[in-house]
Structures are given as structure tokens and as C-alpha cells.
Amino acid sequence: MPKISAATNVAQRAETQRKILTAFGELLFTQGLPGLTMTDVARHAGIGRTAVYNYYADMEELLVSYALTETEKFVAELRDGLNTLENPVDQLALYIRAQVEDLTRRHLPPGPAMAAVLSPKSFSRLADHVGELNSLLQQILRSGMAQGFLPLGDVDALARLILGTLSSTASRAKAQEPGSPELEGQIAATVRFVASGAGAVFDDDGRPLVVAPVQSV
């Protein structure tokens, strides 16, 4: 039997881990977290239950790994998208759309529910990544205020209100089919509602207008 090279072994482990996380994510989407077992994940991934335990000690560890992996990928893709836009109101619109689409697609439990099923240490790891998304939103808001596209205000309070609105919208949007006109309509309405609520004003062609003197915030 030929000897397996280190590179091949690493690739094989990465592929098995990908299968586990993919299976877990698909089961979260179809049946949710309550009642989900490692056996369910192994069966859906097409691998042995023991193999799953070689990567994750329990459901909590698997949930945390899935959430961190998805969040890291989402943040990286979001940053890439934001870097293609110059106007902070356009960046805010992209942030809103991306967040609602992601929250609708991933079907992770909301923050309070995650806190109830995870240990404080595990929840703290997730909170760090959620904090990164919050910081990104605050950067967009500060930029909008500094450039005069948004009126000056309490950035921290505004960010909390926006994130709460996005979570609420995503909960309702989960009843819609991905890519459906109904879902697109909900997302578009949320984008305009949140942007207008933050103080953005648009011309007849939908372009953001300067509403306040440019200044440092």
C-alpha cells in the first residue's frame, strides 16, 4: 500500500471537516438546532459517527466551529464588497443587504438562544466575531457622518438599533424562498428603511445626498 503523503493527509482531513460543517449547516437549515445530534450530522455527511468525534468533541464544539467558520468567511466577503464602494451610504446599503441575506440563509440561533446553549467561554468566542461586525457597521456610520451623508448622532446606539432591525427582518424573511421576489422586496424595503432611519437622504435617481456639514466625528 503506498504511503500517504503529509500533504495528502492534510487535504483529506480538510475535506472531511468541510463535509461535516456542510452537513451541519444543511441540517440547521432544514430542521434547526433542537434535537440535532452528532449521529444526524455523520449520517448526512456520509461518514462514520466516530469520524465526526475525531474532529469535534460534542455538538457545542461543532456549533462554535461552524459559526466561526461562516462568520469569518462572511466578514471577509463583506469587506471585499465594501472596498469596492466609496460612498458610505452605499456601503451601509450593502452591509444591510448582506447581513439580512446571511442571517436568513445560515439559520443560526439568535444571540440569546446561542448564549443559552453554549458555555460562557464558547459564547465569548462567538461574541468576538459579532463584535467585529458591529465595529464594521460603526465604521460605516462614522464615515457617513464625517462626510456629511448622515447627521451626527450616537454611533453606538444607532448601530444597536440597526442590528436589532436586521435580526427582526431576517426572522420574518426566513419564511420566504431564497431568491424570490418576496424576499428581494423585503430586503430592498429594509435597506431603504434603515438608511432613511439613519438620516440618509436620496435624490430622484436614488443617489445619496449630503445632509450635514462635513466634519470629523
Side-chain angles (χ1 to χ4, degrees), residues 54-126:
N54 287 336
Y55 293 85
Y56 304 104
D58 50 34
M59 286 296 295
E60 175 173 317
E61 189 173 316
L62 177 53
L63 174 60
V64 171
S65 179
Y66 174 79
L68 291 178
T69 299
E70 290 296 302
T71 302
E72 288 171 358
K73 181 169 63 176
F74 172 72
V75 170
E77 292 174 352
L78 179 57
R79 287 188 182 278
D80 288 343
L82 292 173
N83 287 337
T84 67
L85 302 172
E86 294 184 1
N87 190 287
V89 177
D90 292 336
Q91 291 179 334
L92 178 60
L94 175 61
Y95 182 97
I96 296 165
R97 172 175 291 278
Q99 274 278 60
V100 173
E101 290 178 344
D102 184 66
L103 290 169
T104 303
R105 181 180 66 249
R106 280 203 282 153
H107 283 240
L108 279 169
M114 292 284 271
V117 299
L118 296 178
S119 67
K121 181 178 180 180
S122 294
F123 186 72
S124 177
R125 291 177 62 196
L126 293 183

